[in-house]
Amino acid sequence: MPGLTAGARRGKAPRGKTELPPRWRLDAGDYVVAVSVTRDGSLCAIGTGAGAVLGVDVQTGAVRWRNEAHRNGVLALQFSPSGALLATCGQDGNARLFDLAGALVAELPGGAAWVEHVAWAPGGELLATASGRTVRIWTQRGEPVVETEPLPSTVAALGWRADRAELAAACYGGVYVWSVGAGATSRHLAWQGSLVSMAWSPDGKVIACGSQDRSVHFWRLSTGQDSEMRGYPAKPRALAWDAQSRLLATGGAPAVTVWDFSGKGPEGTRPIELEGHQDTCVQLAFSPRKGVLASGAQDHGVLLWEPRRLAKPVRYAFLEAEVTALVWHPAHAGLLGADASGTVVCWQVE
């Protein structure tokens, strides 16, 4: 893999490619930590390092409401699958539920100084939160359901299986998977190392994790077989699956590395290398409807790719600082991006 470019802070426009037209742009006022969009694509939520959550009209970019949700900073947020509730968490020891008007619905105590992660179950009837080494599951009304025994270390990532009631948490020592419908029985996918990110394939067959040792480790759930891909110059915190669970895109380098899980891959195969960024790729998102991949980097650049067809970017855009969030509109009509300066942009994508 190519090494980092010393001193590169802004990407270069790909030669002969068209820049994405912005539909709107706004200043969130501080470092943008996370962005989420409702299923119908009408409202997006923006969480900042200063602790504010903004509800923004996706069509116009107008701020509908602003809530000082978490003193000292937001750490994560996510709309429920129905789009009726927004779960947030932050550095005040709590998770919270808000309605679409920004009104507080419920407060979920974390039992620690920070609540780092929130994740809705696919049906929206349950919400998982993680604070420190403990995972808790709640109803959509904020009622406690179950609390896990403390894991060996702080939870680094949290996510639900898309096709059944299973929840996974990554930490030092591997991944823990709970079958919630069976009374929260757990399964341990062991690995001696510190995991920093996690992505469950949409078909529920593979869990992939980025590791502190600059590798990507993955498990096939049907057999428990695990493998890894090494050689990244930085920790691969950005991971993204395509909708068919065939391609896994990974960051951790200026080049985006895409592994093909179809057939007998990716073991023994060479990945697709998407070269275009001048600095490390830190954000990845596949379109939910087409085989288009968006990548964002520390060089302020956002690139669009069609990795099944080309190894060169097809469109591009720039933000004002390191890219901190990329989220597709559910109808593929647009892409939202945010950065460390507080800039949020909605680009038109056809």
Side-chain angles (χ1 to χ4, degrees):
M1 297 181 183
L4 297 178
T5 302
R9 298 311 306 161
R10 183 175 176 88
K12 297 179 181 178
R15 185 174 300 175
K17 304 302 179 183
T18 304
E19 187 169 4
L20 287 169
R23 183 184 299 170
W24 51 259
R25 177 185 298 260
L26 67 83
D27 181 3
D30 201 90
Y31 184 108
V32 175
V33 176
V35 176
S36 183
V37 181
T38 55
R39 176 175 285 184
D40 66 2
S42 63
L43 184 72
C44 73
I46 300 164
T48 75
V53 174
L54 287 70
V56 177
D57 186 298
V58 174
Q59 185 63 33
T60 66
V63 177
R64 293 184 183 176
W65 50 266
R66 179 187 178 98
N67 194 315
E68 302 304 319
H70 294 278
R71 184 181 69 256
N72 300 327
V74 174
L75 291 176
L77 55 76
Q78 187 181 61
F79 277 110
S80 64
S82 69
L85 291 171
L86 174 69
T88 70
C89 62
Q91 299 185 56
D92 58 0
N94 293 289
R96 292 186 172 89
L97 297 178
F98 297 93
D99 65 18
L100 295 189
L104 181 66
V105 174
E107 187 167 283
L108 317 180
W114 293 4
V115 180
E116 293 96 340
H117 307 282
V118 292
W120 286 100
E125 71 282 1
L126 296 173
L127 173 72
T129 64
S131 52
R133 299 188 296 149
T134 303
V135 175
R136 293 174 174 84
I137 299 176
W138 314 78
T139 70
Q140 60 185 334
R141 295 180 296 276
E143 301 161 340
V145 175
V146 68
E147 178 179 319
T148 68
E149 293 294 325
L151 298 181
S153 66
T154 299
V155 175
L158 192 64
W160 292 86
R161 183 167 178 163
D163 59 348
R164 67 177 67 176
E166 288 188 316
L167 175 67
C171 64
Y172 182 90
V175 176
Y176 290 80
V177 182
W178 294 274
S179 298
V180 177
T185 57
S186 65
R187 177 184 180 188
H188 181 207
L189 304 173
W191 185 72
Q192 291 302 313
S194 181
L195 302 176
V196 298
S197 59
M198 182 180 69
W200 207 326
S201 63
D203 63 8
K205 295 181 179 180
V206 180
I207 291 180
C209 294
S211 177
Q212 185 82 19
D213 68 0
R214 296 179 295 181
S215 69
V216 172
H217 205 83
F218 68 90
W219 290 264
R220 289 185 168 86
L221 274 296
S222 61
T223 63
Q225 176 188 347
D226 61 323
S227 298
E228 65 180 349
M229 294 86 88
R230 291 188 169 274
Y232 294 85
K235 290 175 284 189
R237 294 185 179 277
L239 305 172
W241 289 94
D242 72 345
Q244 290 73 41
S245 302
R246 173 185 167 184
L247 300 181
L248 173 67
T250 62
V256 179
T257 304
V258 181
W259 300 91
D260 192 338
F261 277 71
S262 62
K264 296 182 179 180
E267 295 93 334
T269 65
R270 293 186 62 84
I272 302 168
E273 295 283 350
L274 306 178
E275 298 186 5
H277 289 296
Q278 303 299 304
D279 210 334
T280 303
C281 172
V282 290
Q283 296 292 327
L284 290 165
F286 266 105
S287 165
R289 296 184 179 273
K290 297 182 179 179
V292 179
L293 173 68
S295 63
Q298 292 175 335
D299 62 13
H300 313 184
V302 173
L303 300 176
L304 295 192
W305 314 83
E306 296 179 14
R308 290 188 180 90
R309 188 173 68 88
L310 292 171
K312 298 295 182 183
V314 295
R315 306 286 291 276
Y316 73 92
F318 289 111
L319 288 168
E320 304 302 317
E322 177 179 337
V323 181
T324 58
L326 287 174
V327 178
W328 285 95
H329 187 280
H332 191 72
L335 173 69
L336 288 98
D339 69 17
S341 76
T343 299
V344 183
V345 179
C346 180
W347 296 285
Q348 184 71 31
V349 181
E350 299 294 349

